[in-house]
Amino acid sequence: MEATVSKRWLLARLYEPEQTIVDCRFTLGKPQAGKESFEQEHIPGAVYLDLELDLSAPVSEHGGRHPLPDPQLLAARLAKLGIGNTTRVVAYDDESGMNAARLWWLLRYLGHEQVFILEGGFSAWKAERFPVTDHQPIRIPSSFEPNVQSQMVVGVDEVRQVSVNTVEALSEARDSASTAPYDLPVLIDSRARERYLGLEETLDKKAGHIPGAVNYFWKETQNEDGSLKSAEELQEHFAQLDKDAEIIVYCGSGVTACPNVLALEKAGYKNVRLYAGSWSDWISYEGNPIATGDEK
């Protein structure tokens, strides 16, 4: 089954006991807005998880604006909400799926595969006149034992080495008028093109991108209604990437990279990893170089 589900799919299974629906709405710069919206109305049976309080660790010197949460703490939080190792989880938000994709990625990182994202999010659900409520049912705690998939995440040291190797390979290819080798890991920057190019930066202290990275804006993997494009469309979108290459995806803080991870996997890429700290972590190290403009 695909990682996304339709509104009608969820409607038909809305009250199944082995399922937990998770509201992940969150607005950057307005940390209370998501929770307040949830308390006003949400999909029946849904529980709420906060991007910064639940799905991230506290910010420190390094690790980015949304550091990965401690696996044991996250597992305990999930268990308290009634999410166990066999619970089917359906996540939604109202931010084009980026926060729901963060939960999707985190659950898989904890070894939990039964997690899906609702296409279109809450506004699309409500537009269909499907049921909403302000009622918050009592949750019966469950048991969640994390089985951390450490191979899914990449740290700054590995990214630094990949960046150096890529820049050297591109330089050698230019000097010899040949193409760069395809056996190198690929760094993907998921942010909007203006931020990748270094033309603007509204969230982080420095503008630009990790040297050697190529730009694939995460929203370009979606249709106008917020649903994920088909596998064939995504294969065309990522056509310049070698299917056998190792791919490392990052964004500003490790959140909007997750929809790109999802899209790459749907397109058939098997070796996709997340640089969780992303750009905000990269620039927290004074010695890390910064590139602007296009990678040639």
Side-chain angles (χ1 to χ4, degrees):
M1 186 175 179
E2 294 191 3
T4 59
V5 296
S6 70
K7 296 181 288 296
R8 292 194 176 276
W9 184 96
L10 179 58
L11 182 67
R13 298 162 176 81
L14 194 56
Y15 299 104
E16 291 184 349
E18 69 274 14
Q19 172 178 274
T20 296
I21 302 169
V22 182
D23 188 316
C24 299
R25 284 178 286 175
F26 186 88
T27 303
L28 288 175
K30 299 179 180 179
Q32 300 300 320
K35 182 67 178 297
E36 289 172 356
S37 296
F38 169 78
E39 290 173 346
Q40 291 171 6
E41 55 181 3
H42 51 263
I43 295 176
V47 298
Y48 184 75
L49 284 174
D50 186 285
L51 172 64
E52 294 187 342
L53 299 179
D54 300 311
L55 305 183
S56 304
V59 175
S60 59
E61 181 181 4
H62 302 299
R65 286 184 281 109
H66 294 113
L68 287 187
D70 178 271
Q72 294 295 336
L73 293 178
L74 178 56
R77 175 65 175 137
L78 295 169
K80 187 175 181 180
L81 293 175
I83 299 173
N85 291 89
T86 61
T87 304
R88 182 174 72 230
V89 176
V90 180
Y92 71 87
D93 59 34
D94 231 358
E95 293 76 38
S96 300
M98 68 179 192
N99 300 321
R102 168 77 164 202
L103 177 59
W104 169 83
W105 187 91
L106 281 171
L107 278 167
R108 294 169 70 249
Y109 176 62
L110 298 186
H112 187 96
E113 293 292 335
Q114 287 279 29
V115 55
F116 307 95
I117 297 171
L118 177 64
E119 292 182 347
F122 182 76
S123 290
W125 173 273
K126 190 176 177 182
E128 293 279 357
R129 299 186 180 277
F130 291 161
V132 297
T133 183
D134 63 355
H135 177 63
Q136 298 182 43
I138 297 173
R139 303 294 300 182
I140 300 174
S142 184
S143 175
F144 192 109
E145 294 296 330
N147 179 22
V148 176
Q149 306 296 301
S150 57
Q151 76 281 359
M152 290 175 57
V153 68
V154 183
V156 65
D157 291 336
E158 186 172 349
V159 172
R160 190 180 291 119
Q161 191 59 56
V162 169
S163 174
V164 168
N165 293 343
T166 301
V167 170
E168 290 179 351
L170 289 171
S171 178
E172 291 175 3
R174 283 193 295 268
D175 292 343
S176 60
S178 61
T179 58
Y182 286 100
D183 57 348
L184 288 173
V186 179
L187 276 174
I188 288 182
D189 187 313
S190 303
R191 298 171 300 163
R193 187 144 186 84
E194 292 76 13
R195 293 180 68 196
Y196 167 82
L197 294 173
L199 298 176
E200 67 175 42
E201 183 54 67
T202 59
L203 295 172
D204 292 306
K205 295 179 180 179
K206 298 178 182 179
H209 61 265
I210 299 174
V214 294
N215 183 223
Y216 284 88
F217 184 34
W218 68 279
K219 283 193 175 182
E220 293 175 353
T221 65
Q222 300 178 347
N223 298 305
E224 289 186 5
D225 64 357
S227 62
L228 193 61
K229 290 181 178 179
S230 68
E232 292 75 20
E233 290 172 314
L234 292 172
Q235 287 165 8
E236 182 177 352
H237 178 65
F238 295 118
Q240 293 187 351
L241 302 177
D242 183 2
K243 277 285 182 68
D244 296 323
E246 177 186 346
I247 297 175
I248 298 172
V249 188
Y250 76 91
C251 57
S253 66
V255 177
T256 58
C258 295
N260 252 352
V261 173
L262 187 155
L264 283 158
E265 292 189 2
K266 183 172 181 178
Y269 293 83
K270 304 297 185 184
N271 192 5
V272 184
R273 306 166 73 193
L274 176 70
Y275 173 27
S278 288
W279 179 248
S280 52
D281 176 61
W282 180 263
I283 61 174
S284 70
Y285 296 89
E286 287 297 328
N288 281 347
I290 292 173
T292 56
D294 255 324
E295 294 285 344
K296 301 294 185 181

